[in-house]
Amino acid sequence: MSAAPATGPADTALRARAQKVIPNGMYGHQSVGMLPAAAPQFFAEAKGAYLWDVDGKRFVDFMCGYGPNLLGYRHEEIDAAYIDQLRKIDAATGPSACMVELAEAFCGQVGHADWALFCKNGTDATTMALMTARAHQGKRKVLMAQGAYHGASTWCTPAPAGTTPEDRAHFIHYTYNDVASLEAAAAEAGDDLAGIFASPFKHDVFVDQELPDPAYAEAARRICDTKDALLIVDDIRAGFRMARDCSWQAIGVAPDLSSWGKAIANGHPLSCLLGSERARAGAEQLYVTGSFWFAAAAMAASLKTLEIIRTSDYLETTIALGDALRQGLAEVGRTHNVGIRQTGPSQMPLIMFDGEEGQVDYGLGEAFCNGMLQRGVYFHPFHNMFISAAMTQGDIQYTVETADAVLSDLRG
Amino acid sequence: MSAAPATGPADTALRARAQKVIPNGMYGHQSVGMLPAAAPQFFAEAKGAYLWDVDGKRFVDFMCGYGPNLLGYRHEEIDAAYIDQLRKIDAATGPSACMVELAEAFCGQVGHADWALFCKNGTDATTMALMTARAHQGKRKVLMAQGAYHGASTWCTPAPAGTTPEDRAHFIHYTYNDVASLEAAAAEAGDDLAGIFASPFKHDVFVDQELPDPAYAEAARRICDTKDALLIVDDIRAGFRMARDCSWQAIGVAPDLSSWGKAIANGHPLSCLLGSERARAGAEQLYVTGSFWFAAAAMAASLKTLEIIRTSDYLETTIALGDALRQGLAEVGRTHNVGIRQTGPSQMPLIMFDGEEGQVDYGLGEAFCNGMLQRGVYFHPFHNMFISAAMTQGDIQYTVETADAVLSDLRG
């Protein structure tokens, strides 16, 4: 038996070359180091809901680029908007009119937003949120949920390597959805509370997702009001997948700041921080910038994306597709007498398996995803997935049938 | 008299709209808040060496997007490479073959480089350099030159707003080109020295530029060798403008890490950290990532940019153009009996004016740049500028003649 990965020869050859010129052969969230052996590392083509790896194998892609693919890969109108703008001006000595148009569009789209700062990475947006909260009243303490992901810079990367304890000197952790825990953290901050970070729902890796308890969201809002701190909803991963507004619109809680990225230009590189009037003075004190933050092409693509978000039924489509997947997989689980844990919003599903005594069976999850990948469905064993509006009910049906076949093999 | 800026009505109208939806109306290095009144905030088109503002006024652009425009705006081959790749796959669930090809190309191009980590902002690359240096041996202290710019995140932004003292708890500052100062900083770090940041030359704002003293560069290398720390050359602004290799190649000092951005894809959004074999183990410990870091289109553009860097005379062209500008402006200065301070490499010129007692006359610099801008030459009064390979000797001649006319007006 060979120890080579169960992907094709082109993928295997590229991995060997990558080992020489890229640390660990790949890094960050797109390294397949922790994924099932059938997950290819390198891809050659993307279109709509599908990916093709470098060996020509097709996948129905439930990762959607880890979020950016909301309306389908290589969306014709959005890519045309990008290319049309590129043929006028992109990164230059100053921004273009579309930066103002896009800021106006976001303020029209997102209820709490009165201004926008555009940037490139999700981490840029969360870093500016952190800085704005601290600049707001010159206070230091920031609360965030234990285990939540808010980026990968020195202050937020999940791994300690290369960071110092001082990078997080003024952070206090609470338990998501736990009002008492949040209140205790706020009490610990005393009169030095600058802000509270909240994911729109709990979407940590390796654990079941949790929708937000309105009491928790309302407590966060109340604490920020009482202590003149800023409430930050980190909507980078979930933005425009829960609502055509900030994800907490559904529970009626408006943050002061929200961070956005991933899908806002349907895959073109753009992120932003949105803020309320109350947060503007803090933001105006910052010196924040980036070489490509003012580039016009990704902004033109985002303007087109927002237009489609406003005028199409993409949201209802992804929810219907997600519901059909959830229902189909639940039936498959019953058929095979396997406990499938499906958590979070159906359009951002996390799918894991029951183990003994309430635990997650990660081994079964890996074997299941391996089987799905081998049959052309890109499933992830421990990270939430994403439904694209380019998927069809046929894709969902194929996925459910494939899950049935994989579980038949595994349990047969 | 109106207090409105001396730019056109379209620019003025956009500024008014921007004030409502963007903090301060604009932010970061592309805000014109500190620039002469004739500097437009918004642009509509770019091509080659030229920019057109939203009122249709043309500028010979000596800012080159603050660096990205190395080979000319809207370079046909490079933009075609971007668009061709966009029509296959860009941001997706995994990277494409061109990521490996580009890492190989950088390792072939830059002498000290054995691996590459790609990212989006210059700040991403310097942040990963900081983290790699600390991960290398688990040490904490990092030296950097007083006044040097290495990005705009919490640990490096030039403005304190939104940061805490702990964000820079383990930084020790030295004076650029001052060996004794560097050695004193290293002594202060004791046995806890993780790394030394160095700009390839001193290119701080508001002060004359300084080319690197080889004794300083060699001292930095020697200290890092003695203390098992990593030497970082921050080549984001100057990369490929001084050499077809790391900028310190000319003085024979190889760093362990170099950070790159700006021009490496001629304006498409890409940056990277390059490292030597010695630095690889540190980099392999990090968790660093970004939503769009693995996207293929900017990498395809960078591959084409590197090919042109290898095969064209762009470097000799920009140096010859810069030399001609420097010589022409020096003659203009003599004609008008004005002391023009022209510092740094001629292809990255900083142009300021002598004031009294060796000081800089910033008022004259502002008036001069205002006149240049009014006549269609985009000059910056206190930031280094950039020569693009798309400029011609005719552009330089026009610029020198314009400077002569402006100084005639100012001194007449």
Side-chain angles (χ1 to χ4, degrees):
Chain A
M1 289 294 286
S2 162
T7 53
D11 191 65
T12 302
L14 278 168
R15 289 185 195 217
R17 288 167 59 189
Q19 277 294 337
K20 295 182 185 166
V21 292
I22 296 171
N24 294 319
M26 194 51 61
Y27 51 96
H29 69 290
Q30 297 211 343
S31 166
V32 296
M34 294 179 70
L35 290 189
Q41 180 64 78
F42 295 98
F43 294 90
E45 195 182 342
K47 181 67 190 166
Y50 308 118
L51 280 177
W52 288 262
D53 72 13
V54 287
D55 291 286
K57 182 177 171 70
R58 194 192 86 159
F59 297 85
V60 185
D61 176 28
F62 282 89
M63 287 313 292
C64 292
Y66 287 77
N69 171 11
L70 173 64
L71 303 172
Y73 286 120
R74 284 168 52 207
H75 189 285
E76 286 188 16
E77 287 173 87
I78 295 165
D79 287 8
Y82 189 98
I83 293 169
D84 286 351
Q85 183 61 51
L86 197 62
R87 288 178 171 150
K88 296 179 192 126
I89 186 170
D90 183 32
T93 294
S96 301
C98 64
M99 186 170 180
V100 180
E101 293 161 11
L102 186 61
E104 291 171 343
F106 267 105
C107 293
Q109 188 79 36
V110 173
H112 81 88
D114 294 310
W115 53 261
L117 289 168
F118 296 101
C119 41
K120 283 289 153 190
N121 303 314
T123 301
D124 299 335
T126 56
T127 300
M128 292 196 297
L130 172 73
M131 294 170 73
T132 300
R134 284 180 166 157
H136 174 61
Q137 294 293 355
K139 297 186 286 182
R140 299 175 299 173
K141 303 295 178 189
V142 174
L143 315 188
M144 51 190 73
Q146 191 69 48
Y149 180 81
H150 295 300
S153 190
T154 51
W155 65 272
C156 53
T157 176
T163 72
T164 66
E166 287 86 349
D167 292 330
R168 327 181 175 212
H170 299 291
F171 295 162
I172 303 170
H173 291 95
Y174 65 87
T175 302
Y176 196 90
N177 268 343
D178 181 334
V179 173
S181 155
L182 181 65
E183 288 176 341
E188 186 182 334
D191 58 5
D192 199 18
L193 183 69
I196 300 177
F197 270 95
S199 301
F201 62 93
K202 183 176 171 179
H203 50 43
D204 307 349
V205 285
F206 293 112
V207 296
D208 293 330
Q209 301 193 104
E210 288 180 32
L211 293 174
D213 181 343
Y216 151 72
E218 288 156 12
R221 180 69 271 171
R222 185 176 65 247
I223 291 166
C224 286
D225 289 341
T226 304
K227 298 204 169 202
D228 199 3
L230 299 187
L231 176 59
I232 305 153
V233 168
D234 181 357
D235 234 345
I236 287 165
R237 204 184 297 179
F240 295 137
R241 289 185 178 273
M242 303 293 287
R244 292 180 177 84
D245 196 326
C246 177
S247 293
W248 273 11
Q249 183 206 30
I251 52 175
V253 174
D256 303 294
L257 299 168
S258 56
S259 49
W260 298 71
K262 297 282 192 189
I264 64 171
N266 200 51
H268 297 288
L270 192 71
S271 59
C272 70
L273 179 67
L274 302 180
S276 64
E277 208 52 55
R278 177 167 179 250
R280 189 191 294 255
E284 288 188 336
Q285 295 175 50
L286 307 185
Y287 187 81
V288 285
T289 199
S291 300
F292 308 109
W293 288 15
F294 308 89
M299 295 180 187
S302 185
L303 269 171
K304 179 59 70 174
T305 303
L306 289 188
E307 180 192 317
I308 296 169
I309 283 171
R310 280 195 307 274
T311 58
S312 78
D313 63 354
Y314 85 97
L315 183 60
E316 295 71 25
T317 298
T318 56
I319 293 171
L321 291 163
D323 287 349
L325 176 66
R326 180 158 294 184
Q327 186 181 340
L329 290 178
E331 285 173 20
V332 167
R334 284 192 290 274
T335 301
H336 295 280
N337 197 26
V338 173
I340 308 185
R341 308 161 80 104
Q342 303 193 73
T343 55
S346 71
Q347 67 273 34
M348 292 178 68
L350 177 64
I351 296 170
M352 300 195 295
F353 290 87
D354 283 340
E356 293 182 357
E357 296 177 1
Q359 301 296 301
V360 173
D361 185 341
Y362 294 107
L364 179 55
E366 181 179 354
F368 173 74
C369 286
N370 222 14
M372 298 296 278
L373 285 156
Q374 286 170 328
R375 288 165 175 83
V377 177
Y378 199 112
F379 257 36
H380 199 295
F382 55 79
H383 188 294
N384 77 270
M385 301 189 286
F386 302 87
I387 305 292
S388 159
M391 287 178 183
T392 64
Q393 290 288 354
D395 294 323
I396 299 298
Q397 187 181 338
Y398 175 75
T399 299
V400 171
E401 289 168 2
T402 301
D404 185 46
V406 168
L407 285 177
S408 290
D409 277 5
L410 289 174
R411 308 299 260 190
Chain B
M1 290 290 289
S2 163
T7 53
D11 192 65
T12 302
L14 278 168
R15 289 184 195 218
R17 288 166 60 189
Q19 278 294 338
K20 296 183 185 165
V21 291
I22 295 173
N24 295 318
M26 194 51 61
Y27 52 94
H29 69 290
Q30 297 210 343
S31 167
V32 297
M34 294 178 71
L35 290 188
Q41 180 66 77
F42 294 98
F43 294 89
E45 194 182 343
K47 181 67 189 168
Y50 309 119
L51 280 178
W52 286 262
D53 72 13
V54 288
D55 291 285
K57 183 176 171 70
R58 194 192 86 159
F59 297 85
V60 185
D61 175 30
F62 283 88
M63 287 313 291
C64 290
Y66 287 77
N69 171 12
L70 173 64
L71 303 172
Y73 286 120
R74 282 167 55 207
H75 190 285
E76 287 189 15
E77 288 174 85
I78 295 166
D79 287 8
Y82 189 97
I83 293 168
D84 286 352
Q85 182 61 50
L86 197 62
R87 288 178 171 150
K88 295 179 193 129
I89 185 169
D90 183 33
T93 294
S96 300
C98 64
M99 185 170 181
V100 180
E101 293 161 11
L102 186 61
E104 291 171 342
F106 267 105
C107 293
Q109 188 81 35
V110 174
H112 81 87
D114 294 309
W115 53 261
L117 288 168
F118 296 103
C119 42
K120 284 289 154 193
N121 303 314
T123 302
D124 299 335
T126 57
T127 300
M128 292 197 295
L130 172 73
M131 294 170 74
T132 300
R134 284 180 166 156
H136 173 62
Q137 295 292 357
K139 297 186 287 183
R140 300 175 298 174
K141 303 295 179 190
V142 175
L143 315 189
M144 52 189 73
Q146 191 67 48
Y149 180 80
H150 296 300
S153 189
T154 51
W155 65 271
C156 53
T157 177
T163 72
T164 67
E166 287 86 350
D167 292 330
R168 336 189 163 201
H170 298 292
F171 294 163
I172 304 171
H173 291 94
Y174 65 88
T175 302
Y176 195 88
N177 268 344
D178 182 333
V179 174
S181 154
L182 181 64
E183 286 176 342
E188 186 181 335
D191 59 4
D192 199 17
L193 183 68
I196 300 177
F197 270 96
S199 301
F201 62 93
K202 183 176 170 178
H203 51 42
D204 307 349
V205 285
F206 293 113
V207 296
D208 294 329
Q209 301 193 105
E210 289 180 32
L211 293 175
D213 181 342
Y216 151 71
E218 287 156 12
R221 180 68 271 171
R222 186 176 62 246
I223 291 166
C224 285
D225 289 340
T226 304
K227 298 205 170 202
D228 199 4
L230 299 187
L231 176 59
I232 305 152
V233 168
D234 180 357
D235 235 344
I236 286 164
R237 204 184 296 178
F240 295 138
R241 291 184 177 272
M242 303 292 287
R244 291 181 177 86
D245 196 326
C246 178
S247 293
W248 272 12
Q249 182 206 29
I251 51 174
V253 173
D256 303 294
L257 298 168
S258 56
S259 48
W260 299 71
K262 297 282 191 188
I264 65 171
N266 201 51
H268 296 288
L270 192 70
S271 58
C272 70
L273 179 67
L274 302 181
S276 64
E277 207 51 57
R278 178 165 178 250
R280 188 190 294 254
E284 288 189 338
Q285 294 175 51
L286 308 184
Y287 187 82
V288 284
T289 200
S291 299
F292 307 108
W293 288 15
F294 309 89
M299 295 181 187
S302 185
L303 268 172
K304 178 59 71 176
T305 303
L306 288 188
E307 181 191 316
I308 295 168
I309 283 170
R310 280 194 307 274
T311 59
S312 78
D313 62 354
Y314 85 97
L315 183 59
E316 294 71 26
T317 297
T318 55
I319 292 171
L321 291 162
D323 287 349
L325 177 66
R326 180 158 294 185
Q327 186 182 340
L329 290 178
E331 284 172 23
V332 166
R334 282 191 291 272
T335 300
H336 295 280
N337 197 27
V338 173
I340 307 185
R341 308 161 81 103
Q342 303 195 71
T343 55
S346 70
Q347 67 273 34
M348 292 178 67
L350 177 64
I351 296 170
M352 301 195 296
F353 290 86
D354 282 339
E356 293 181 357
E357 296 176 359
Q359 300 297 302
V360 173
D361 186 341
Y362 295 107
L364 179 54
E366 180 177 354
F368 173 74
C369 286
N370 222 15
M372 297 295 279
L373 285 156
Q374 286 170 327
R375 290 166 174 82
V377 177
Y378 199 113
F379 257 34
H380 199 295
F382 55 78
H383 188 293
N384 78 269
M385 300 189 286
F386 302 86
I387 305 292
S388 159
M391 287 178 183
T392 64
Q393 289 289 355
D395 293 323
I396 299 298
Q397 188 182 338
Y398 175 75
T399 300
V400 171
E401 289 167 2
T402 302
D404 184 46
V406 170
L407 284 178
S408 290
D409 278 6
L410 290 174
R411 308 299 260 191

